[in-house]
């Protein structure tokens, strides 16, 4: 094998599995959480750096006086169609869930489809639920 081919092979295996999508970098305001096709107002913030994300959102699915919430953070990889979130932190608060009102753990990697439409970022999770976010100035 020639040296050039060896170098190319090493570089190919050293590169991350997914390409970077720098369009994600910045701050995004949470606007809507779509669950089973129903829109729920959502407040919060997603922050993407070139390598990491942090997300804190609040919404109300059950009509309880205490809102539902999600908090997630860790590294991510994005290729223009899909983000793989590595969840170093996964916190869910669900006061209407009798079985698991609070969940706090390191979460599984979550492959999530996404699209950027103007100033909107739409995340479609494996459950088919969607977050709709708007870029902050």
């Amino acid at each position: 094998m020639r040296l050039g081919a060896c170098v190319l092979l090493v570089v190919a295996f050293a590169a991350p599995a997914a390409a970077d999508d720098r369009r994600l970098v910045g701050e995004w305001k949470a606007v809507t959480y779509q669950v089973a096709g129903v829109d729920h107002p959502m407040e919060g913030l997603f922050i993407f750096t070139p390598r990491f994300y942090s997300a804190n959102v609040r919404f109300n699915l059950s009509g309880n006086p205490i809102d539902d919430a999600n908090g997630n953070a860790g590294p991510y990889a994005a290729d223009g169609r899909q983000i793989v979130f590595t969840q170093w932190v996964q916190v869910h608060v669900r006061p209407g869930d009798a079985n698991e009102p609070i969940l706090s753990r390191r979460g599984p990697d979550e492959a999530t489809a996404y699209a950027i439409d103007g100033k909107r970022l739409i995340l479609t999770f494996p459950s088919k639920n969607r977050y709709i976010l708007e870029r902050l100035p």
Side-chain angles (χ1 to χ4, degrees):
M1 187 179 281
R2 295 179 314 157
L3 179 59
C6 288
V7 170
L8 182 60
L9 188 60
V10 168
V11 170
F13 282 105
D20 293 323
D21 186 345
R22 299 288 185 204
R23 299 175 305 157
L24 293 168
V25 174
E27 299 81 29
W28 298 85
K29 180 183 183 298
V31 177
T32 304
Y33 186 20
Q34 290 181 343
V35 178
V38 177
D39 289 352
H40 300 274
M42 183 170 63
E43 293 184 331
L45 186 64
F46 266 68
I47 299 172
F48 287 94
T49 72
R51 294 182 42 215
F52 300 95
Y53 74 99
S54 180
N56 295 286
V57 297
R58 180 176 59 80
F59 47 91
N60 194 303
L61 297 179
S62 62
N64 286 332
I66 299 173
D67 288 336
D68 303 278
N70 290 346
N72 304 82
Y76 73 95
D79 66 6
R81 294 183 331 258
Q82 184 176 31
I83 299 173
V84 177
F85 291 108
T86 298
Q87 300 178 88
W88 286 348
V89 175
Q90 180 186 39
V91 177
H92 292 174
V93 177
R94 301 286 186 275
D97 185 339
N99 296 323
E100 196 167 56
I102 297 177
L103 169 110
S104 178
R105 66 178 183 195
R106 179 182 176 112
D109 287 358
E110 187 169 35
T112 301
Y114 74 98
I116 296 175
D117 182 13
K119 294 185 179 199
R120 288 202 155 190
L121 170 60
I122 301 165
L123 302 174
T124 304
F125 298 98
S127 65
K128 303 301 180 212
N129 295 338
R130 300 180 348 149
Y131 279 1
I132 298 173
L133 313 170
E134 291 181 353
R135 184 177 291 282
L136 291 170

